[in-house]
Amino acid sequence: MAVLSAISAGPAPATAQAAAGPSASLAASAMHRSARARLVRDRSAGRVLALSPGARAKGSLRVTRADALLVRARRAICPHAARLRLSVDGHVLAARLVSSHQWISYPVGVRLAPGLHTVEAAWSSGSRRGCRDGLLLDRISLRGPPAAGGTVLANTANPLAASPLYVSPDTPAQRQVRAWQASRPADAAQIAKIASRSQAVWFASEWNSDVRSDVANIVRAAADQGRLPVLVDYNLPNRDCGGYSSGGAASASEYRTWTRDFAAGIGGRPAVVVLEPDALAALDCLSASDRQTYVSLLGDAVTVLTGHPNVAVYLDAGNSGWQSAATMAARLSEVNVAAGRGFSLNVSNFRSTADELAYGDDIAARLGGKHFVVDTSRNGRGPAPGDQWCNPAGRALGAPPGSQTGDPLADGFLWVKAPGESDGACNGGPAAGMWWADYALGLAQRAAY
């Protein structure tokens, strides 16, 4: 197993500098000390790096085949846990809570593409009080080559640009096109604007009794076509605080089981996961106890999903008309967004793309440059008067799904909300999630293409 040992950012003697060059293996004896990092001897691991608040460990890693990272670390003899922050090529990948006194190899949840990468580990605890050496770092290692034929999703590259997006062969829009082709060919051609493009597939316990199998079927079909599926995990307990989209898991324990089944369905195949639309933005509608449950469950879901290196996780962050960027950045941090790819915006809403890009950049700047995606499924004309959100009239399809956004932090435009599915029994629409052909037709007819 190839190993990169930690080195500090401080000056090094010439002999050590030579040893610290780009390599997949660097001996512990080549580690360097800085003001808050020092070499210590561990009974089981030998010489390791002890990190205190403010300490950093930095080195170069050359990857010859696409590979995943493991970080071997343990907590020192301290009264509290510490967080280990890992960055690759300047992009923060994970802030891992290290609470065990035993040596554990923690999966980072990404694969690195072949080439030279700069890896940095740092103390990321919220407190600077406590032990001098709160965290011991043994090594950063490569886990092994990906399964044959697997697609690599590395946090240093845009995962949405790795493969074309998956288009399901059987959606309500496609069925509508077939139903209207003979009798209403012009309208069928309009609906084809929706039917021909990628849409996310939503999963919830109300319609997925076997989520592991149902997720596996989608990601397998996408992999067979060499395409990337977009999945929406939408099953938190007390979802939508009893609103139009109420439902979800019956309990916290049921949701944890659901999360693990969802992840198992993906397995080693590539996928994009949009995690729990509206949940973080809508925390204010919950009691203090329920808020804490949501935070715990979302943090657990991020950990479980990012344990699969080919999964790019985007935690939902509402939209620019809901919470401030500062509020959303704080909430995202609380549920460990650092371990995922980033966050999603505008799901099922109508805010303009320009507004969402500006909002996303603001949040990203507060999170160390995390990336994001924007739902453009129905924002072609921006929000309706009064910011109506439930089946507002006069809206249009937005930019087609894809990775060309013009913003280096915006990984892609997605159609997370399936255009033509109702927001709920309002403004003449059917129940939430039901296909509404007339609304879909209007969206398509008013599109700029």
Side-chain angles (χ1 to χ4, degrees):
M1 180 163 59
V3 174
L4 170 70
S5 295
I7 53 175
S8 78
T15 55
Q17 287 179 345
S23 174
S25 179
L26 184 64
S29 60
M31 297 179 187
H32 308 284
R33 290 187 288 128
S34 64
R36 295 189 176 92
R38 63 194 186 99
L39 285 175
V40 298
R41 186 170 294 279
D42 181 83
R43 284 184 186 176
S44 60
R47 299 179 77 193
V48 298
L49 192 70
L51 299 180
S52 297
R56 294 184 178 183
K58 187 175 183 180
S60 296
L61 176 65
R62 186 176 295 282
V63 179
T64 57
R65 294 182 60 183
D67 217 335
L69 292 180
L70 293 174
V71 180
R72 191 168 189 259
R74 76 172 180 86
R75 174 180 164 189
I77 307 301
C78 284
H80 53 266
R83 285 187 180 274
L84 174 65
R85 187 186 70 207
L86 191 75
S87 304
V88 174
D89 301 332
H91 298 276
V92 177
L93 302 187
R96 176 71 63 179
L97 183 67
V98 178
S99 57
S100 175
H101 290 300
Q102 303 297 316
W103 286 108
I104 296 177
S105 292
Y106 295 93
V108 177
V110 296
R111 290 192 191 277
L112 295 184
L116 180 64
H117 299 278
T118 299
V119 182
E120 181 178 277
W123 171 290
S124 185
S125 175
S127 172
R128 289 182 176 265
R129 293 192 295 268
C131 299
R132 175 184 176 188
D133 300 324
L135 179 67
L136 299 181
L137 177 66
D138 180 22
R139 62 181 181 264
I140 300 169
S141 61
L142 297 173
R143 182 159 59 182
T151 299
V152 177
L153 298 182
N155 270 39
T156 52
N158 184 353
L160 272 75
S163 304
L165 296 174
Y166 174 66
V167 179
S168 173
D170 186 29
T171 63
Q174 288 166 337
R175 293 193 288 273
Q176 195 68 65
V177 169
R178 292 192 290 269
W180 282 353
Q181 273 179 334
S183 59
R184 300 170 59 176
D187 290 343
Q190 290 292 331
I191 297 296
K193 295 177 184 178
I194 300 172
S196 63
R197 293 182 167 91
S198 174
Q199 301 166 43
V201 182
W202 292 58
F203 295 88
S205 54
E206 293 95 307
W207 54 85
N208 296 109
S209 59
D210 185 351
V211 69
R212 178 171 182 168
S213 176
D214 292 345
V215 168
N217 288 338
I218 294 297
V219 295
R220 187 182 303 114
D224 288 346
Q225 297 179 13
R227 291 177 174 267
L228 181 65
V230 180
L231 316 176
V232 182
D233 190 344
Y234 191 56
N235 204 46
L236 274 170
N238 192 29
R239 190 181 63 221
D240 199 32
C241 295
Y244 282 122
S245 299
S246 61
S251 65
S253 62
E254 183 178 297
Y255 185 76
R256 290 189 181 93
T257 298
W258 163 278
T259 296
R260 284 150 181 79
D261 288 341
F262 192 106
I266 298 173
R269 293 177 290 264
V272 167
V273 176
V274 174
L275 185 57
E276 297 298 344
D278 295 349
L280 280 177
L283 280 181
D284 297 331
C285 75
L286 298 170
S287 67
S289 175
D290 286 343
R291 280 185 65 150
Q292 189 53 48
T293 297
Y294 265 38
V295 168
S296 174
L297 292 178
L298 285 169
D300 177 69
V302 172
T303 299
V304 171
L305 289 165
T306 56
H308 294 245
N310 284 333
V311 178
V313 178
Y314 296 90
L315 278 149
D316 192 64
N319 61 72
S320 59
W322 200 338
Q323 302 286 357
S324 71
T327 294
M328 287 315 306
R331 293 181 182 182
L332 287 164
S333 296
E334 196 174 5
V335 295
N336 199 22
V337 70
R341 175 65 182 178
F343 54 95
S344 57
L345 296 174
N346 206 43
V347 172
S348 299
N349 213 279
F350 304 85
R351 311 297 298 186
S352 73
T353 299
D355 285 349
E356 295 309 286
L357 290 175
Y359 182 59
D361 287 342
D362 194 351
I363 295 175
R366 301 166 189 270
L367 296 174
K370 296 302 287 185
H371 289 242
F372 62 96
V373 294
V374 177
D375 184 354
T376 58
S377 58
R378 305 182 301 175
N379 73 344
R381 287 191 169 183
D387 280 340
Q388 295 180 56
W389 62 268
C390 191
N391 301 324
R395 301 308 93 200
L397 300 175
S403 61
Q404 300 302 311
T405 66
D407 185 319
L409 292 177
D411 285 343
F413 299 140
L414 300 177
W415 286 4
V416 183
K417 171 73 174 182
E421 289 187 359
S422 175
D423 294 317
C426 53
N427 287 331
M434 298 297 292
W435 173 251
W436 187 4
D438 289 343
Y439 196 85
L441 181 60
L443 291 173
Q445 288 173 332
R446 288 184 288 271
Y449 46 89

